[in-house]
Amino acid sequence: MWEIASGQKPFYDRPHNAELAREICNGLRPSIIMETPQCYVELMEKCWNADPKERPDIRELEKSLMSWGWHMGMSQKHSVSDQFISAEKERLRLLEHLGSQLEPFKKPHPESFYKSRLLNFPDLPKPRNLYGSTSDSKDQIHSISGISSDDDSTVTKYQ
């Protein structure tokens, strides 16, 4: 879900090694992209839960996605529609306004891997969540521009 929202693979700029695995076990997650609809953020964060029992199952995922599709198709006046439409408008605004300032997609770190492979990292900590809820993670929100909302007054604060 993060890759769809950001257009980049998670942790593309870091080696995929024991240190990264340890940080992920300790709650590290990719930074939320500012232009991401809140309902999408909430579902993505549920999927990131360190406790597999707390993650949504396929039925809950289907229910959420089908609900979003229904609301988008049937009622353009629904909050889900508003979230996606607003996020897309903001994304397009930023691309138009900051287009020349946007960082081009960088090459992945040479030690990042996105193919299945056996990893043997002994002594990893028990996985935990760094943040307890969506509202706690808002400090980690970034714009697709790569400019944080504190650095540029043209980037609106995530709601």
Side-chain angles (χ1 to χ4, degrees):
M1 289 181 75
W2 186 84
E3 187 174 344
I4 290 170
S6 70
Q8 298 177 344
K9 295 188 180 291
F11 307 116
Y12 72 94
D13 57 344
R14 307 186 49 163
H16 293 185
N17 56 19
E19 180 182 343
L20 178 59
R22 191 171 294 104
E23 289 180 43
I24 290 169
C25 286
N26 284 325
L28 177 69
R29 302 295 184 267
S31 299
I32 303 297
I33 303 302
M34 186 170 69
E35 297 80 13
T36 308
Q38 182 62 30
C39 60
Y40 192 91
V41 169
E42 290 169 6
L43 183 60
M44 181 168 51
E45 287 184 337
K46 285 181 184 180
C47 293
W48 286 348
N49 197 304
D51 182 354
K53 294 175 186 165
E54 296 297 319
R55 296 177 198 150
D57 63 17
I58 190 65
R59 287 171 207 78
E60 185 177 345
L61 289 172
E62 179 185 35
K63 181 179 176 185
S64 294
L65 296 173
M66 294 295 283
S67 171
W68 295 348
W70 185 85
H71 289 301
M72 294 292 289
M74 298 299 288
S75 171
Q76 294 296 314
K77 303 268 189 253
H78 192 274
S79 67
V80 169
S81 298
D82 292 345
Q83 289 177 46
F84 281 93
I85 291 167
S86 175
E88 182 64 6
K89 283 180 181 177
E90 180 63 11
R91 187 187 70 81
L92 292 172
R93 187 189 73 76
L94 285 171
L95 287 172
E96 184 177 309
H97 180 74
L98 301 171
S100 62
Q101 299 174 36
L102 293 175
E103 288 187 33
F105 288 108
K106 298 177 183 174
K107 283 189 166 185
H109 191 281
E111 295 177 37
S112 64
F113 299 93
Y114 292 95
K115 294 184 178 181
S116 295
R117 64 189 172 117
L118 180 61
L119 302 173
N120 185 16
F121 300 138
D123 304 321
L124 286 177
K126 181 180 177 183
R128 68 183 183 94
N129 294 320
L130 186 58
Y131 303 104
S133 69
T134 302
S135 60
D136 293 340
S137 65
K138 287 187 180 169
D139 295 337
Q140 281 227 311
I141 294 170
H142 295 278
S143 167
I144 59 170
S145 67
I147 300 171
S148 76
S149 56
D150 295 334
D151 296 337
D152 182 1
S153 61
T154 64
V155 178
T156 58
K157 190 70 177 164
Y158 184 78
Q159 295 298 321

